[in-house]
Amino acid sequence: MELGVCYYPEQWPQAWWEDDAQRMVQMGIRYVRIAEFAWSRIEPRPGHFEWSWLDQAIETLHAAGLKVVMCTPTATPPKWLVDSDPTMLAVDASGQPRKFGSRRHYCFSSQSYRAQSARISLAVAERYGKHPAVAAWQTDNEYGCHLTVLSYSDAAQQAFRAWLQKRYGTVDALNTAWGNVFWSQEYASFDEIDAPVGTVTEANPAHRLDYRRFASDEVVAFNRIQTDILRAHSPGRDITHNFMGFFTEFDHHDVSQDLDVATHDSYPLGFTQDFFLSPDEKRRYARTGHPDIPAFHHDLYRGMCKGRWWVMEQQPGPVNWAQWNPAPLDGIVRLWTWQAFAHGAEVVSYFRWRQAPFAQEQMHAGLNRPDRTIDQGGLEATQVAQELKDLGANMPLAPMRTAQTAIVFDYPSIWMAQIQPQGADFNAMEITFRAYSALRAMGLDVDMVSSKADLSAYRMVVLPAHMREDAHLAKRLAESQAQVVLGPRSGAKNQALAFAAGMPPGAFAPLAGLQVQRVESLPPGVHDLVQWANGATSSNTHWREDVASQGATALASFADGKPAVLRNGNSWYSAGWPDAEGWNQLLGQVAQAAGLVTHTLPTDVRITRNGDCLFVQNFSSSPVEFSPSNSAHCLLGARELAPQGLAIWKLQASA
Amino acid sequence: MELGVCYYPEQWPQAWWEDDAQRMVQMGIRYVRIAEFAWSRIEPRPGHFEWSWLDQAIETLHAAGLKVVMCTPTATPPKWLVDSDPTMLAVDASGQPRKFGSRRHYCFSSQSYRAQSARISLAVAERYGKHPAVAAWQTDNEYGCHLTVLSYSDAAQQAFRAWLQKRYGTVDALNTAWGNVFWSQEYASFDEIDAPVGTVTEANPAHRLDYRRFASDEVVAFNRIQTDILRAHSPGRDITHNFMGFFTEFDHHDVSQDLDVATHDSYPLGFTQDFFLSPDEKRRYARTGHPDIPAFHHDLYRGMCKGRWWVMEQQPGPVNWAQWNPAPLDGIVRLWTWQAFAHGAEVVSYFRWRQAPFAQEQMHAGLNRPDRTIDQGGLEATQVAQELKDLGANMPLAPMRTAQTAIVFDYPSIWMAQIQPQGADFNAMEITFRAYSALRAMGLDVDMVSSKADLSAYRMVVLPAHMREDAHLAKRLAESQAQVVLGPRSGAKNQALAFAAGMPPGAFAPLAGLQVQRVESLPPGVHDLVQWANGATSSNTHWREDVASQGATALASFADGKPAVLRNGNSWYSAGWPDAEGWNQLLGQVAQAAGLVTHTLPTDVRITRNGDCLFVQNFSSSPVEFSPSNSAHCLLGARELAPQGLAIWKLQASA
Amino acid sequence: MELGVCYYPEQWPQAWWEDDAQRMVQMGIRYVRIAEFAWSRIEPRPGHFEWSWLDQAIETLHAAGLKVVMCTPTATPPKWLVDSDPTMLAVDASGQPRKFGSRRHYCFSSQSYRAQSARISLAVAERYGKHPAVAAWQTDNEYGCHLTVLSYSDAAQQAFRAWLQKRYGTVDALNTAWGNVFWSQEYASFDEIDAPVGTVTEANPAHRLDYRRFASDEVVAFNRIQTDILRAHSPGRDITHNFMGFFTEFDHHDVSQDLDVATHDSYPLGFTQDFFLSPDEKRRYARTGHPDIPAFHHDLYRGMCKGRWWVMEQQPGPVNWAQWNPAPLDGIVRLWTWQAFAHGAEVVSYFRWRQAPFAQEQMHAGLNRPDRTIDQGGLEATQVAQELKDLGANMPLAPMRTAQTAIVFDYPSIWMAQIQPQGADFNAMEITFRAYSALRAMGLDVDMVSSKADLSAYRMVVLPAHMREDAHLAKRLAESQAQVVLGPRSGAKNQALAFAAGMPPGAFAPLAGLQVQRVESLPPGVHDLVQWANGATSSNTHWREDVASQGATALASFADGKPAVLRNGNSWYSAGWPDAEGWNQLLGQVAQAAGLVTHTLPTDVRITRNGDCLFVQNFSSSPVEFSPSNSAHCLLGARELAPQGLAIWKLQASA
Ligand SMILES: [Zn+2]
Ligand SMILES: [Zn+2]
Ligand SMILES: [Zn+2]
């Protein structure tokens, strides 16, 4: 549990660097990420490298005892490079190149840019790979930001054809898999196949899904070129990439295969404003963020690299990029930081040391203001560092315990739902988040894992949106002892986004004991009442399925008597999109069947177990009271928590 | 009154075909539409035809006693054809070609594609034109779907210039008609005239209207090439095209001149979600559809080909293409089918036999599920077939009686309102539908006819949105005995979308006995109270006119005393956009003047007279009671109708 | 105080001209603007001029005793000219040329079009510059209409590079000013710099701001070519341009430097529907317009050319171009006309004499209907002319008195807020308007002035949105005796849209006695309560700042105790976006401190002082009563004002 910060020495007078380093140390910061946007300063002219300033910056940090997270600067190729080869630019859906003047102006499929990316990465790795201050590497920056994964360049289309040939072998196999007999879409050769863009109406969903898969694979390949270079030239250092929250343009699990540590960029207020929350939630959580948004990502990225993860960029104040950019309430930056540690972060690194007074992100707060005075975020980071120091040996050092509940998160399933929502607001990320949030609201810890993860240790496994049929996963779930929860559309589609064999839920059918015979998406305002066997009622919106039981029994029914929730032994199936009470009913009953202890927490209070400690977090606007068992011992805070308050309890080792 | 189905043998194993045919027959199906998207299977390589599979499919259907509706496959040219001549593609408003990868990827003005279209149509017609199973032909599929009528290709612009030259003779005549002196828009030659697209602000409305007319004429010409071939090579078979609901990109009356039977594709739930209904209506009618949407189209297409019409595609379950896609309530598919027969359909053909498990429409239900089991739509089709059989000789065989009420539906008037709405929500289709719905809610049968139709038999003729000045129509209306209802903006514009001579309502002024001196569109929330002479009140929204009487007397007034509704002998004029109660007041009084018997029907119940039968349809969610005169005899159902219920009554022949 | 009208003789039969002129004179009209869209009639073929019709039109008007406002026809180059050089067209953000077929189809940076513009301007000026009827000139028409200032043509990009070189001297200076070290945006030469368009995410705000400045300067340069020609060839005539309301694409103060009289086009109903008002305001003011929209523009344009200004186009009835186009209530056109005179207009000229029956603006009312009958606007113009005549010598002839309250209006500050809103609804025009409206609602007269204006005579100076740091202005304000009101974000940015030195409010900090340490934008629904020291409460939305006092004292606080409004001697600062009550509290207290007399006016009633007269205007829907001091004498109207009513009071000279 250490703190870090993102720092841009090139943006400040060299005379300030030593003071900055000293103040970082005093604040309790240990890691400093640098240089991820510095290409134009490292290589101001083609082949002409200016290392001295960077040497000096690293030395300054090193001298102060700070560790450096070094970066490849490939997210911002300089103008001279773009002008030398404009074909390196990505091309948008209307055929326009996405031009120089901001960042991420490159196409992952450009072979020339891949070569340039390797060249600069090698140069940086050779110079600093064995420097004692360099503790870790970050490749590039936020792959996918500004929707930059999908490109329709000539290079991308050529690569797509080769990718298809490799996947399908023959064009006949492709025609069959995609169902190209429909609408005379059959191809006679791979060369005839274009990117699925600019069509009169929607392109074949199989075509679109394969383009998504291909584009994701291009990110993996691009990243691997860099990780191969870094491993060769900087032995013993961790390699990471900073993933961005709620991004699903590529498969983060796949990219993580080449990383040692997964890191993510956590902007709770920006995410609250820019994603699927309701207007009322956006208002209510404007200055705290939805309590489960940071935790959702912590648990997701903990599942990427065998449990090793950081927050690489932690929001320290208002940001500049959301539709609206409110300021965090005092105390929330501290709470977010502790929340990350509670969920197992090795390092929480703030973005950024000092607010830049110029250019695109000048309205993005830092730990310090542009005038070098400390900002609220800096005060709270200082407080956390002091608390970490005070707690010292009392704090858990053991690795995060595996939770007893898992959510299976599957990027291809997310893509499937994006391509084929069937209702304008069917959002697979949202339903996953709602299920996660319901689990968290009842006090359960959650692991977010890929479909290939070992699930044997879990008592409860939830698949809120696993639309992709997965026979191997179905088999492992059937063999496990866990209670398994399947959301609507589970297993509905095969690998080509066609109907799963034998109708949905496809390979999950034996587990679920039912067949889905019809589905419907529901316009706003259509709320179907759900009557639970135990007398409770909830409401169903967005989506509903007509299910024929093949052994499963109904736990809840719609008003017309058709089943809304079914159970088949250890398997539970939701034939619709539950509201919060629906999730609470379903997951509460599952938890009981799984022998898990749930809690009735005050509204917007969350608890997280890490090792033998329990972290209690009050995201509400009211003071609350909460304590675990009588035998627990309070390490920090108290039973009473003010708004934005935190308590850490040491539990009995056996608790 | 027969049932049909759309079938795609090329999408299923040949081993299933015979079973499919047998099950169709058992279900009571008589017509099978095939091959409208099968070009890539018919001609997989340029000039290389594969007829054997299609021969076999037709034989299989024929052997089972089914009749075939054969199609030209021109809605989906194969990839090899597009690659051989990319200029055949339509071009969108931003200048981008609309590419291969879905359907309707062609420009109606492409001479090369017209030749290809003729070539493949001839090949199919020569092979199957005289086959005993082939009972009818469909040209292409849903002209205009995905907004494909307007193209800005070079071919289209060239053709437009020739079209203008033919229409105007001299460019001076065009300049005068369009008012090109305005903003120095004058042209020196036809060659200078481009499509009205990409201009700095809106192009001249006359220019836009002529481009709409031209584009409509291109559809007519394209279609006629095929009908000429089919007539020559398949004598005695009916030729049709399947029009799509609420589409107004081209003049369906004009295309129908070349057809024997008009068919349309009826998707009540999709239309309810995607068109102008209010959010509350979209919620309320989510699973039944608005009761008047199917009927509106039935009555419209009955007016195309001397009363001969089919439903070519009947929604059998949830569809895939609307913003939201709810499932029809059980019983509604049966009710829709009977509703079509009530309105005079010769055939109701379901789309489609079996839900495809792949490609773009995999979420579109069929009569059967992808796993070959029967779906709810199939059950209801079976029920209708049985009911038809049981009713047998008791049912009317006479052609549909002409209604006593007509709505004049005029495509150019719709275009005029689209080009010049003057208020963001002035929708000529909506106001026409609202008038239609008000007539239906009071139990009146309605014919929807073109402005050239014989109106002499009607007692009441309603022009809800006849914006186009039409002296010939005005004359015939004046000479008729009918009560004539004119909606706002009637006759306001001449053929070039300029002010009608002598101010609105132009040629209708003598009839209406008034002059419109000022109009205004009203932002949301502006509701002008309308006080009726009989004490009733209603509300006016969207649009209002200041009218000076030239003989007409006010039946209702706005709060400032200006006339809201006026009567001049047999002519009635609405100086605004009425709400439902306003239409009810106006049309109720007109009906009374016309000597028509209206009914006070329960909410969402509709009645339709066909021959000597009266069809009572309950679209509401409550049981209702309704019976016609005591002398009527109930053939099907009863006085009590459950939700989605139907009753058929035999009236006295003279009733 | 004279009336004018816009007239298009080329659009009407020559036989009507003399009658039109006679009727204008009878109506009391004195000025007639002509020929601003007549290029295709003046020069129907390249180099072939047709003067005779225009000679005749001018003679007809002259003979009737009317004065002519002559125009350069450069807003509508004819088709032959565009075809001869398509590079003259502007290019939009997607790279598409903005084509012929409406108006304003040219790029301000096109050197070839500048030459054509000069050529035709010279031709017209030489022919009519010394004609006795020609009293004034208008250049072009509504620069910026249809968003035509920003063009991304090659010509524009070339000119931008030259403009940058002139501004910065060296590319290093530019890199520093723009902060191009951020994201490796550094340039090695001016030739590398493109327009800030088509970038992956937002371009550097400094880059964008300079492109806005450049584009504005191009308008100034384009206009000056014409004014130079007109001054040389038409001595003694006033030169003007008709600015359009709420347009901020270029700096109207800069263009006005080359004009004698500022004129603007006043469309109160269109502006009410199309700009930032709430849906409730759009409904409420649908038929009157918001009372402060015309006045805001009158006061703004009075500040352009030493107090000389006209309304060049006055809305006379419904227009055609807003989202919705309601009709003005009877009496409102008269009230608008008098409101303009009250605010100091020399001439109010109606657009247009007669409604055109054809082309794009056929739904735009005139003083007369297309059928040559007089419309409501004509009746009300006639009434005003009669009232002016009747009042005669009693009316003030002195130039408008300088108000005691000024608002500083700064186009570059508006651009800054557009480029960097930081919250989706931060609209600098809106907050300026809200402050203006609050001042007007308390009966204060307001001058809207540029930041360079002489402020010494004011008792109160309000900067609602002066985001641009301005040390010279700060110094003058500090030296003045005026109470100074600073809105949120005042002085926050330097000339390159980077943080002002020493944090916001930058150069205004000594004046305001505070430092802004953090800002936040607030999503819809977040309303922070503001508690005033005097016990009042108001509400803060949209924007909030955390302010550290450096001498200022809080007059109002947020719920958490942080200051919401602060005072530092004569300076007042709003640390947020006030609601109407917030502005009322703040400006009321400031007015009191300034010794200004405020009024408690009935809702939607406004008063305007001009010379020794007070104009009372009732924009409400209720009759109201208002009278000034007992010594005042009513020249027109009475203490009781009906809706749309007006009263003119003669005050004691010393009042
Ligand atoms: Zn939702
Ligand atoms: Zn409506
Ligand atoms: Zn606002």
PDB file of all heavy atoms in Angstrom, chain C residues 216-217 220 243 248-256 304 410-412 415 452:
ATOM      1  N   SER C 216     -12.229  35.800 -37.228  1.00  0.00           N
ATOM      2  CA  SER C 216     -12.870  37.098 -37.001  1.00  0.00           C
ATOM      3  C   SER C 216     -12.124  38.194 -37.754  1.00  0.00           C
ATOM      4  O   SER C 216     -12.735  39.059 -38.399  1.00  0.00           O
ATOM      5  CB  SER C 216     -12.898  37.391 -35.496  1.00  0.00           C
ATOM      6  OG  SER C 216     -13.507  38.636 -35.244  1.00  0.00           O
ATOM      7  N   ASP C 217     -10.817  38.138 -37.696  1.00  0.00           N
ATOM      8  CA  ASP C 217     -10.024  39.143 -38.416  1.00  0.00           C
ATOM      9  C   ASP C 217     -10.252  39.053 -39.924  1.00  0.00           C
ATOM     10  O   ASP C 217     -10.169  40.070 -40.627  1.00  0.00           O
ATOM     11  CB  ASP C 217      -8.531  38.957 -38.106  1.00  0.00           C
ATOM     12  CG  ASP C 217      -8.179  39.426 -36.700  1.00  0.00           C
ATOM     13  OD1 ASP C 217      -9.067  39.977 -36.002  1.00  0.00           O
ATOM     14  OD2 ASP C 217      -7.021  39.228 -36.284  1.00  0.00           O
ATOM     15  N   VAL C 220     -13.266  41.070 -40.682  1.00  0.00           N
ATOM     16  CA  VAL C 220     -12.929  42.496 -40.635  1.00  0.00           C
ATOM     17  C   VAL C 220     -12.249  42.917 -41.931  1.00  0.00           C
ATOM     18  O   VAL C 220     -12.605  43.935 -42.542  1.00  0.00           O
ATOM     19  CB  VAL C 220     -12.024  42.788 -39.418  1.00  0.00           C
ATOM     20  CG1 VAL C 220     -11.533  44.236 -39.454  1.00  0.00           C
ATOM     21  CG2 VAL C 220     -12.775  42.501 -38.112  1.00  0.00           C
ATOM     22  N   PHE C 243     -25.822  43.511 -38.406  1.00  0.00           N
ATOM     23  CA  PHE C 243     -25.425  42.407 -37.549  1.00  0.00           C
ATOM     24  C   PHE C 243     -26.651  41.603 -37.118  1.00  0.00           C
ATOM     25  O   PHE C 243     -27.746  42.136 -37.015  1.00  0.00           O
ATOM     26  CB  PHE C 243     -24.708  42.939 -36.295  1.00  0.00           C
ATOM     27  CG  PHE C 243     -23.447  43.677 -36.588  1.00  0.00           C
ATOM     28  CD1 PHE C 243     -23.392  45.072 -36.509  1.00  0.00           C
ATOM     29  CD2 PHE C 243     -22.296  42.987 -36.930  1.00  0.00           C
ATOM     30  CE1 PHE C 243     -22.224  45.760 -36.772  1.00  0.00           C
ATOM     31  CE2 PHE C 243     -21.108  43.667 -37.189  1.00  0.00           C
ATOM     32  CZ  PHE C 243     -21.076  45.059 -37.116  1.00  0.00           C
ATOM     33  N   THR C 248     -21.980  35.384 -32.358  1.00  0.00           N
ATOM     34  CA  THR C 248     -20.691  35.732 -31.765  1.00  0.00           C
ATOM     35  C   THR C 248     -19.533  35.110 -32.533  1.00  0.00           C
ATOM     36  O   THR C 248     -18.446  34.971 -31.998  1.00  0.00           O
ATOM     37  CB  THR C 248     -20.634  35.255 -30.308  1.00  0.00           C
ATOM     38  OG1 THR C 248     -20.894  33.838 -30.283  1.00  0.00           O
ATOM     39  CG2 THR C 248     -21.649  35.956 -29.443  1.00  0.00           C
ATOM     40  N   GLU C 249     -19.757  34.742 -33.784  1.00  0.00           N
ATOM     41  CA  GLU C 249     -18.676  34.080 -34.512  1.00  0.00           C
ATOM     42  C   GLU C 249     -17.522  35.024 -34.847  1.00  0.00           C
ATOM     43  O   GLU C 249     -16.426  34.568 -35.127  1.00  0.00           O
ATOM     44  CB  GLU C 249     -19.215  33.463 -35.807  1.00  0.00           C
ATOM     45  CG  GLU C 249     -19.662  32.019 -35.627  1.00  0.00           C
ATOM     46  CD  GLU C 249     -19.723  31.326 -36.982  1.00  0.00           C
ATOM     47  OE1 GLU C 249     -20.248  31.925 -37.929  1.00  0.00           O
ATOM     48  OE2 GLU C 249     -19.240  30.184 -37.079  1.00  0.00           O
ATOM     49  N   PHE C 250     -17.804  36.313 -34.867  1.00  0.00           N
ATOM     50  CA  PHE C 250     -16.708  37.272 -35.091  1.00  0.00           C
ATOM     51  C   PHE C 250     -16.925  38.456 -34.148  1.00  0.00           C
ATOM     52  O   PHE C 250     -17.991  38.588 -33.536  1.00  0.00           O
ATOM     53  CB  PHE C 250     -16.651  37.723 -36.554  1.00  0.00           C
ATOM     54  CG  PHE C 250     -17.875  38.487 -36.996  1.00  0.00           C
ATOM     55  CD1 PHE C 250     -17.899  39.878 -37.001  1.00  0.00           C
ATOM     56  CD2 PHE C 250     -19.024  37.810 -37.397  1.00  0.00           C
ATOM     57  CE1 PHE C 250     -19.039  40.572 -37.394  1.00  0.00           C
ATOM     58  CE2 PHE C 250     -20.165  38.499 -37.795  1.00  0.00           C
ATOM     59  CZ  PHE C 250     -20.170  39.881 -37.787  1.00  0.00           C
ATOM     60  N   ASP C 251     -15.923  39.295 -34.050  1.00  0.00           N
ATOM     61  CA  ASP C 251     -15.962  40.409 -33.096  1.00  0.00           C
ATOM     62  C   ASP C 251     -16.671  41.591 -33.743  1.00  0.00           C
ATOM     63  O   ASP C 251     -16.103  42.258 -34.610  1.00  0.00           O
ATOM     64  CB  ASP C 251     -14.531  40.762 -32.675  1.00  0.00           C
ATOM     65  CG  ASP C 251     -14.509  41.716 -31.496  1.00  0.00           C
ATOM     66  OD1 ASP C 251     -15.368  42.637 -31.467  1.00  0.00           O
ATOM     67  OD2 ASP C 251     -13.660  41.546 -30.612  1.00  0.00           O
ATOM     68  N   HIS C 252     -17.898  41.837 -33.336  1.00  0.00           N
ATOM     69  CA  HIS C 252     -18.682  42.911 -33.927  1.00  0.00           C
ATOM     70  C   HIS C 252     -18.082  44.284 -33.594  1.00  0.00           C
ATOM     71  O   HIS C 252     -18.225  45.225 -34.378  1.00  0.00           O
ATOM     72  CB  HIS C 252     -20.132  42.826 -33.467  1.00  0.00           C
ATOM     73  CG  HIS C 252     -20.835  41.575 -33.896  1.00  0.00           C
ATOM     74  ND1 HIS C 252     -22.200  41.417 -33.860  1.00  0.00           N
ATOM     75  CD2 HIS C 252     -20.360  40.396 -34.388  1.00  0.00           C
ATOM     76  CE1 HIS C 252     -22.531  40.207 -34.298  1.00  0.00           C
ATOM     77  NE2 HIS C 252     -21.426  39.574 -34.609  1.00  0.00           N
ATOM     78  N   HIS C 253     -17.423  44.388 -32.452  1.00  0.00           N
ATOM     79  CA  HIS C 253     -16.753  45.657 -32.150  1.00  0.00           C
ATOM     80  C   HIS C 253     -15.679  45.954 -33.183  1.00  0.00           C
ATOM     81  O   HIS C 253     -15.522  47.098 -33.618  1.00  0.00           O
ATOM     82  CB  HIS C 253     -16.124  45.602 -30.746  1.00  0.00           C
ATOM     83  CG  HIS C 253     -17.117  45.674 -29.627  1.00  0.00           C
ATOM     84  ND1 HIS C 253     -17.246  44.691 -28.679  1.00  0.00           N
ATOM     85  CD2 HIS C 253     -18.037  46.621 -29.301  1.00  0.00           C
ATOM     86  CE1 HIS C 253     -18.196  45.027 -27.816  1.00  0.00           C
ATOM     87  NE2 HIS C 253     -18.683  46.185 -28.170  1.00  0.00           N
ATOM     88  N   ASP C 254     -14.945  44.928 -33.588  1.00  0.00           N
ATOM     89  CA  ASP C 254     -13.868  45.153 -34.558  1.00  0.00           C
ATOM     90  C   ASP C 254     -14.418  45.569 -35.915  1.00  0.00           C
ATOM     91  O   ASP C 254     -13.910  46.515 -36.536  1.00  0.00           O
ATOM     92  CB  ASP C 254     -13.032  43.868 -34.728  1.00  0.00           C
ATOM     93  CG  ASP C 254     -12.119  43.621 -33.537  1.00  0.00           C
ATOM     94  OD1 ASP C 254     -11.999  44.507 -32.661  1.00  0.00           O
ATOM     95  OD2 ASP C 254     -11.537  42.524 -33.472  1.00  0.00           O
ATOM     96  N   VAL C 255     -15.446  44.875 -36.394  1.00  0.00           N
ATOM     97  CA  VAL C 255     -16.024  45.258 -37.689  1.00  0.00           C
ATOM     98  C   VAL C 255     -16.589  46.672 -37.607  1.00  0.00           C
ATOM     99  O   VAL C 255     -16.478  47.460 -38.556  1.00  0.00           O
ATOM    100  CB  VAL C 255     -17.101  44.244 -38.132  1.00  0.00           C
ATOM    101  CG1 VAL C 255     -17.908  44.778 -39.310  1.00  0.00           C
ATOM    102  CG2 VAL C 255     -16.450  42.897 -38.497  1.00  0.00           C
ATOM    103  N   SER C 256     -17.147  47.010 -36.479  1.00  0.00           N
ATOM    104  CA  SER C 256     -17.772  48.329 -36.327  1.00  0.00           C
ATOM    105  C   SER C 256     -16.780  49.473 -36.422  1.00  0.00           C
ATOM    106  O   SER C 256     -17.178  50.610 -36.710  1.00  0.00           O
ATOM    107  CB  SER C 256     -18.511  48.401 -34.989  1.00  0.00           C
ATOM    108  OG  SER C 256     -19.615  47.530 -34.991  1.00  0.00           O
ATOM    109  N   MET C 304     -21.487  50.272 -30.302  1.00  0.00           N
ATOM    110  CA  MET C 304     -20.526  49.941 -31.358  1.00  0.00           C
ATOM    111  C   MET C 304     -19.958  51.178 -32.056  1.00  0.00           C
ATOM    112  O   MET C 304     -18.761  51.278 -32.291  1.00  0.00           O
ATOM    113  CB  MET C 304     -21.207  49.058 -32.427  1.00  0.00           C
ATOM    114  CG  MET C 304     -21.686  47.707 -31.924  1.00  0.00           C
ATOM    115  SD  MET C 304     -20.380  46.453 -31.929  1.00  0.00           S
ATOM    116  CE  MET C 304     -21.119  45.184 -30.871  1.00  0.00           C
ATOM    117  N   ASP C 410     -17.457  41.222 -24.218  1.00  0.00           N
ATOM    118  CA  ASP C 410     -16.137  40.956 -24.809  1.00  0.00           C
ATOM    119  C   ASP C 410     -16.197  39.692 -25.660  1.00  0.00           C
ATOM    120  O   ASP C 410     -16.315  38.581 -25.138  1.00  0.00           O
ATOM    121  CB  ASP C 410     -15.139  40.779 -23.659  1.00  0.00           C
ATOM    122  CG  ASP C 410     -13.710  40.657 -24.158  1.00  0.00           C
ATOM    123  OD1 ASP C 410     -13.250  41.567 -24.866  1.00  0.00           O
ATOM    124  OD2 ASP C 410     -13.069  39.645 -23.828  1.00  0.00           O
ATOM    125  N   TYR C 411     -16.102  39.869 -26.980  1.00  0.00           N
ATOM    126  CA  TYR C 411     -16.226  38.697 -27.856  1.00  0.00           C
ATOM    127  C   TYR C 411     -15.173  37.631 -27.564  1.00  0.00           C
ATOM    128  O   TYR C 411     -15.506  36.445 -27.500  1.00  0.00           O
ATOM    129  CB  TYR C 411     -16.222  39.126 -29.331  1.00  0.00           C
ATOM    130  CG  TYR C 411     -17.518  39.804 -29.720  1.00  0.00           C
ATOM    131  CD1 TYR C 411     -17.678  41.175 -29.612  1.00  0.00           C
ATOM    132  CD2 TYR C 411     -18.605  39.050 -30.150  1.00  0.00           C
ATOM    133  CE1 TYR C 411     -18.885  41.790 -29.937  1.00  0.00           C
ATOM    134  CE2 TYR C 411     -19.814  39.649 -30.478  1.00  0.00           C
ATOM    135  CZ  TYR C 411     -19.943  41.025 -30.366  1.00  0.00           C
ATOM    136  OH  TYR C 411     -21.133  41.625 -30.678  1.00  0.00           O
ATOM    137  N   PRO C 412     -13.904  37.988 -27.402  1.00  0.00           N
ATOM    138  CA  PRO C 412     -12.934  36.912 -27.112  1.00  0.00           C
ATOM    139  C   PRO C 412     -13.284  36.129 -25.833  1.00  0.00           C
ATOM    140  O   PRO C 412     -13.031  34.920 -25.761  1.00  0.00           O
ATOM    141  CB  PRO C 412     -11.611  37.672 -26.966  1.00  0.00           C
ATOM    142  CG  PRO C 412     -11.784  38.900 -27.814  1.00  0.00           C
ATOM    143  CD  PRO C 412     -13.231  39.275 -27.631  1.00  0.00           C
ATOM    144  N   TRP C 415     -15.760  33.590 -26.862  1.00  0.00           N
ATOM    145  CA  TRP C 415     -15.111  32.461 -27.552  1.00  0.00           C
ATOM    146  C   TRP C 415     -14.453  31.534 -26.557  1.00  0.00           C
ATOM    147  O   TRP C 415     -14.505  30.301 -26.705  1.00  0.00           O
ATOM    148  CB  TRP C 415     -14.070  32.991 -28.553  1.00  0.00           C
ATOM    149  CG  TRP C 415     -14.622  33.925 -29.572  1.00  0.00           C
ATOM    150  CD1 TRP C 415     -15.925  34.017 -29.984  1.00  0.00           C
ATOM    151  CD2 TRP C 415     -13.909  34.930 -30.297  1.00  0.00           C
ATOM    152  NE1 TRP C 415     -16.051  35.012 -30.915  1.00  0.00           N
ATOM    153  CE2 TRP C 415     -14.836  35.582 -31.139  1.00  0.00           C
ATOM    154  CE3 TRP C 415     -12.590  35.345 -30.333  1.00  0.00           C
ATOM    155  CZ2 TRP C 415     -14.481  36.627 -31.991  1.00  0.00           C
ATOM    156  CZ3 TRP C 415     -12.218  36.373 -31.186  1.00  0.00           C
ATOM    157  CH2 TRP C 415     -13.158  37.018 -32.005  1.00  0.00           C
ATOM    158  N   LYS C 452     -12.726  48.234 -24.248  1.00  0.00           N
ATOM    159  CA  LYS C 452     -11.878  49.407 -24.483  1.00  0.00           C
ATOM    160  C   LYS C 452     -12.637  50.711 -24.279  1.00  0.00           C
ATOM    161  O   LYS C 452     -12.080  51.797 -24.410  1.00  0.00           O
ATOM    162  CB  LYS C 452     -11.336  49.360 -25.916  1.00  0.00           C
ATOM    163  CG  LYS C 452     -10.371  48.208 -26.145  1.00  0.00           C
ATOM    164  CD  LYS C 452     -10.016  48.089 -27.612  1.00  0.00           C
ATOM    165  CE  LYS C 452      -9.266  46.806 -27.901  1.00  0.00           C
ATOM    166  NZ  LYS C 452      -9.532  46.300 -29.250  1.00  0.00           N
TER     167      LYS C 452
END
